[in-house]
Amino acid sequence: MTRTAQDERAGAQAAEGAIPWRRVVVKLSGEALMGEGPHGLDMPTLERIAADLSAAAALGVEVAVVVGGGNFFRGIAGADKGIERARADSIGMLATVMNALALEYAIEKEGRSARALSAVPMPSLCEPFSRQAALHHLGKGRVVVLAGGTGNPFFTTDTGAALRGAELSCDLIMKATQVDGVYSADPKRDPSATRYETLTHDEAIAKSLAVMDTAAFALARENRIPIIVFSIREPGAISAALQGRGRFSLVRP
């Protein structure tokens, strides 16, 4: 099926499903890109997620992606090994740029235009982030891949996603995880963990739920941006969550 035919079919599906989201930011961890491997990039996983992002954009939704770098380097882990925290976080920002470039390539291989923008300027590799540039590319139907976190140390890419969500006037933050929603504890470690179908930002902060950090929840709360937490492990997970299908938790104002 050609890209045009795919877009037309997806557009018809979107009309039937009445997708309420005009512009979204997807928070994708670096670990999600390594598949079952111990580190780095797993190409089948990268291609599957790129296809899902492309399909989401074909639904008529403007899609931005904030990507982490934990499959290569985590700043907090580097700090635990003795690297100065600010410097360790800077190394982690570089890791997110590597992932963004790989994801940009994989999305374009799917036939969907994409642009990698970095909060840490490195113009020989990708475009520096600015709100105007990101909105321009989103308006052209491109998937915008946002690297470099906030551009500052001591902030997670979760906070970066909430910041970009507010800055780009997004209607929704989509937190892609390895589990199918928000739980009272890590369900992989605690079989008795309770899954939440819906909860508020205030409840997530008060309960210290670890699916996102407190700064990210607070930013989303202040800007009244809902958050969908879902599993990225299944093909089509992003498109399904956008259309209200599948299992996910909704964190709402």
Side-chain angles (χ1 to χ4, degrees), residues 40-226:
L41 294 168
D42 177 68
M43 288 309 297
T45 300
L46 179 69
E47 290 168 355
R48 171 178 60 81
I49 292 174
D52 197 3
L53 290 165
S54 178
L59 292 171
V61 180
E62 295 180 2
V63 180
V65 189
V66 170
V67 64
N71 53 326
F72 288 117
F73 189 92
R74 292 178 61 85
I76 191 68
D80 288 343
K81 293 179 180 179
I83 302 175
E84 180 188 22
R85 175 63 189 273
R87 196 160 308 206
D89 281 354
S90 295
I91 299 171
M93 291 179 213
L94 297 178
T96 70
V97 176
M98 291 192 287
N99 283 334
L101 293 173
L103 195 56
E104 177 190 51
Y105 166 76
I107 294 167
E108 294 200 325
K109 190 178 176 183
E110 283 291 316
R112 170 69 55 180
S113 183
R115 289 292 186 278
L117 277 63
S118 174
V120 181
M122 44 185 73
S124 62
L125 296 179
C126 58
E127 190 173 342
F129 172 80
S130 72
R131 181 175 185 271
Q132 292 81 359
L135 291 174
H136 170 76
H137 293 309
L138 289 169
K140 293 290 186 180
R142 297 166 184 147
V143 176
V144 174
V145 188
L146 300 168
T150 66
N152 297 285
F154 302 102
F155 291 96
T156 68
T157 47
D158 280 350
T159 301
L163 174 64
R164 297 297 179 233
E167 192 172 11
L168 298 176
S169 302
C170 291
D171 305 305
L172 178 69
I173 297 168
M174 303 185 73
K175 167 72 172 181
T177 71
Q178 300 299 307
V179 294
D180 60 356
V182 180
Y183 285 79
S184 58
D186 186 345
K188 295 180 180 179
R189 299 180 180 179
D190 183 357
S192 66
T194 302
R195 181 177 174 277
Y196 298 95
E197 287 288 337
T198 182
L199 68 163
T200 66
H201 295 120
D202 285 331
E203 288 172 328
I205 293 170
K207 295 176 186 292
S208 298
L209 299 176
V211 67
M212 294 183 83
D213 61 74
T214 302
F217 277 130
L219 265 172
R221 178 185 62 184
E222 290 167 11
N223 292 279
R224 301 190 61 78
I225 307 174

